[in-house]
Amino acid sequence: MTSVAVAATEADDDGSTGTQALVVSPTSLSVPEGSTATFGVRLAIQPAGNVTVSSAAASGGDANLTVTGGASLTFTSANWNTAQNVTVSAAQDADSANGTRTINVSSSGLTSVAVAATEADDDGGNGSGHVNNPYAGAAGYVNPDWSAKAAAEPGGDAVADLSTAVWMDRIAAIEGPGSAMGLRDHLDEAVEQDAANGATPLTIQVVIYNLPNRDCSALASNGELLIAQNGLNRYKTEYVDVIAAILDDPQYANLRIVTIIEIDSLPNLVTNLNVPKCQEAQQTGAYVQGVQHALNKLHAIPNVYTYVDAAHHGWLGWDTNFGPAANLFASTADGTTAGKASVDGFITNTANYSALTEPHFTVNTNVNGTSVRQARWIDWNFYVDELSYAQAMRTRLIQAGFPDSIGMLIDTSRNGWGGSARPSGPSTSTDVNTFVNQSRIDRRIHAGNWCNQSGAGLGERPRANPATGIDAYVWVKPPGESDGSSQFIENDEGKGFDRMCDPTYTGNERNGNNPSGALPNAPISGQWFSAQFRELLQNAYPPLD
């Protein structure tokens, strides 16, 4: 913690005259839960007689923070310039919140000084304020840019105060292109929101998304960096290192900063090595080395949390993909300085539409003696929804050597699938394909469709500890931001045109040569798509109040 002295007109050490004051350092104190921390007190000038200084906890705030040493100090004409310590203790408790309390330092006739004490909670964490679940007991950062766009839409004020992630999708996003907020702008705003929350900590989510050859099997969200053009080095030095330096600024130390690490990266090395740019990412090691560099830099910051992308059930749900992906995640983490400890958790369904749960059937359901796994929609997948996939992936990751404290996030920003097309119960058909198609709430034409899906709705609202092994449901993809343009649009962000975003496209082998199901007239990825947002509101499930 950086020391901050209270300003005072101070005499020289020989006791020459000046303005008497209390000098306290530091005035912000981090106290490990179950332990103590100290701040120093002295006088500004030599007193004529003895001066008694009292330190006491304010009546409000976290009652677990108390003064347990140096509550009353005496300064004389001999020791006035030698700091004496006040000890603040944080009692062990069962919650996972970093509580705060003001310690008032006072003396008769002098201006009091307030010390802001913060408990560094260790419930499930590492004892340094790094908790096991950064969402538990915390408020979520509300991005003013996204919030204003959402509130401007009819009915959008119902969700405009919810937490969404901040995307660092190119180097220019760090500073903030044009009128957009940069990373520091968001963190400064988060500090203000945190201050307004009182004792409740605040969690801000930042998406790290700029690997060279990014999104190698698609085109709509390709990035600015290429492996063949010094992309990995630029990624490390111009992107990750710059972000890490900002996040490590002491003024942001009280925030819980969750980083979402490189969506659609490592999974592509499992399933899409037939694509040249994915082959290049695998053969050069650029994806693995880039992710490892990000983990090394970000894990080193105590209040930063790292969640690595683990795709979704419609991508890795087959046993030929599932185990190899878990092994790749493990070997990638093993190659970092801290090993598997560099990873706080994993996230699934990021910017995707997979239903959280299918309420009308499970993977074990049989229809007239036939397993639903044989249905064309499920296509022998071992999972029919995202919650079962995320929980199973967590179990597999623990088997691969990750600690059992590892947690999962699920992006529920667009997987609600409500509205009039949502089935109210299971089908009565005895044909397995008809049964699944009439029963499933995920109304996509094919589970491989991913771009601006027609009929989608807002899903579960962000909340912590919603299910076993799940740290939180989160809105990482801000609802209303496009997945990609419906036709090619010139841009300076390195984003191409993918036919999967074209509503007239009849598909490819990855989506069973089915129509794309994409909405028309979409802008490039990341830009506001009003028609999509309005449809997400209309089809929200749970329904909006």
Side-chain angles (χ1 to χ4, degrees):
M1 185 66 69
T2 302
S3 296
V4 180
V6 177
T9 303
E10 181 177 349
D12 293 334
D13 288 357
D14 64 3
S16 57
T17 59
T19 303
Q20 185 62 281
L22 300 172
V23 179
V24 179
S25 180
T27 54
S28 295
L29 194 67
S30 179
V31 188
E33 183 179 349
S35 188
T36 63
T38 61
F39 61 86
V41 181
R42 64 180 178 87
L43 299 181
I45 63 173
Q46 187 177 40
N50 290 354
V51 176
T52 300
V53 177
S54 300
S55 296
S59 56
D62 189 340
N64 290 317
L65 290 163
T66 56
V67 175
T68 54
S72 180
L73 304 174
T74 300
F75 293 91
T76 68
S77 59
N79 73 352
W80 64 273
N81 197 31
T82 300
Q84 299 184 51
N85 285 337
V86 176
T87 301
V88 179
S89 299
Q92 200 76 39
D93 58 25
D95 64 43
S96 58
N98 292 331
T100 62
R101 197 174 195 184
T102 299
I103 309 299
N104 292 314
V105 184
S106 61
S107 183
S108 178
L110 300 180
T111 301
S112 298
V113 176
V115 175
T118 301
E119 174 195 27
D121 196 278
D122 69 354
D123 293 300
N126 63 12
S128 64
H130 191 97
V131 299
N132 184 52
N133 182 356
Y135 294 87
Y141 171 67
V142 179
N143 179 346
D145 283 350
W146 177 83
S147 181
K149 293 172 184 174
E153 300 285 355
D157 54 356
V159 296
D161 61 349
L162 295 181
S163 180
T164 55
V166 174
W167 285 60
M168 296 289 106
D169 64 353
R170 58 197 187 282
I171 293 169
I174 301 173
E175 288 296 324
S179 61
M181 296 172 69
L183 181 57
R184 278 197 180 276
D185 297 323
H186 284 292
L187 292 168
D188 290 341
E189 172 66 22
V191 169
E192 292 187 16
Q193 292 183 22
D194 186 33
N197 284 334
T200 302
L202 186 133
T203 297
I204 178 173
Q205 303 164 110
V206 180
V207 179
I208 308 300
Y209 186 50
N210 200 31
L211 275 175
N213 286 31
R214 186 181 73 192
D215 221 1
C216 60
S217 64
L219 297 172
S221 52
N222 284 169
E224 62 188 348
L225 303 178
L226 295 174
I227 294 171
Q229 298 176 7
N230 197 34
L232 181 58
N233 183 59
R234 292 191 64 196
Y235 175 78
K236 292 178 178 180
T237 60
E238 298 178 40
Y239 179 73
V240 171
D241 292 358
V242 176
I243 289 174
I246 294 172
L247 299 185
D248 199 26
D249 191 317
Q251 66 182 310
Y252 308 130
N254 286 332
L255 299 174
R256 297 181 182 179
I257 304 172
V258 168
T259 54
I260 308 299
I261 308 295
E262 293 299 346
I263 299 153
D264 296 340
S265 59
L266 298 179
N268 267 308
L269 303 184
V270 176
T271 65
N272 291 315
L273 292 182
N274 60 321
V275 179
K277 284 192 178 298
C278 296
Q279 289 179 10
E280 186 181 23
Q282 191 271 339
Q283 292 169 358
T284 62
Y287 273 14
V288 169
Q289 293 173 35
V291 169
Q292 288 172 337
H293 185 78
L295 290 172
N296 282 335
K297 287 290 185 176
L298 299 171
H299 172 73
I301 307 169
N303 61 309
V304 171
Y305 300 79
T306 56
Y307 286 82
V308 175
D309 181 63
H312 55 89
H313 87 276
W315 186 351
L316 299 181
W318 293 267
D319 53 2
T320 51
N321 301 339
F322 189 84
N327 292 337
L328 178 59
F329 301 152
S331 64
T332 299
D334 287 339
T336 65
T337 302
K340 292 186 177 72
S342 67
V343 180
D344 290 286
F346 290 81
I347 181 168
T348 77
N349 203 47
T350 310
N352 208 268
Y353 298 85
S354 295
L356 182 65
T357 58
E358 283 289 357
H360 306 313
F361 61 92
T362 72
V363 73
N364 296 316
T365 298
N366 288 294
V367 179
N368 196 27
T370 302
S371 169
V372 294
R373 291 187 61 221
Q374 296 186 44
R376 283 188 294 272
W377 166 262
I378 300 173
D379 192 25
W380 296 101
N381 200 314
F382 282 95
Y383 307 95
V384 300
D385 53 34
E386 207 57 25
L387 180 58
S388 61
Y389 167 77
Q391 290 173 325
M393 177 59 77
R394 177 179 178 272
T395 298
R396 181 64 181 80
L397 290 166
I398 292 171
Q399 293 171 353
F402 285 95
D404 58 11
S405 60
I406 203 84
M408 306 295 287
L409 305 176
I410 301 177
D411 187 352
T412 60
S413 58
R414 304 181 302 176
N415 70 347
W417 296 106
S420 59
R422 183 184 178 93
S424 58
S427 170
T428 58
S429 175
T430 57
D431 175 76
V432 69
N433 286 305
T434 304
F435 173 87
V436 169
N437 285 332
Q438 292 181 348
S439 301
R440 59 184 170 93
I441 62 167
D442 187 336
R443 303 312 300 168
R444 287 178 292 178
I445 298 170
H446 188 274
N449 290 355
W450 53 267
C451 193
N452 300 325
Q453 290 299 284
S454 176
L458 301 172
E460 289 277 354
R461 314 316 175 241
R463 58 189 172 100
N465 294 317
T468 301
I470 310 299
D471 281 352
Y473 296 150
V474 292
W475 283 11
V476 168
K477 176 68 174 182
E481 291 189 2
S482 175
D483 295 320
S485 58
S486 301
Q487 58 187 1
F488 179 71
I489 298 175
E490 289 280 359
N491 67 90
D492 60 359
E493 299 179 16
K495 296 171 181 175
F497 167 56
D498 196 302
R499 288 296 305 279
M500 288 297 291
C501 300
D502 176 359
T504 69
Y505 186 47
T506 55
N508 53 46
E509 63 178 8
R510 273 177 275 173
N511 83 328
N513 295 300
N514 283 289
S516 69
L519 291 169
N521 304 314
I524 65 170
S525 63
Q527 292 191 2
W528 190 253
F529 188 9
S530 177
Q532 183 200 55
F533 184 78
R534 295 184 186 197
E535 186 168 284
L536 292 171
L537 286 176
Q538 177 182 337
N539 295 328
Y541 196 91
L544 299 174
D545 295 332

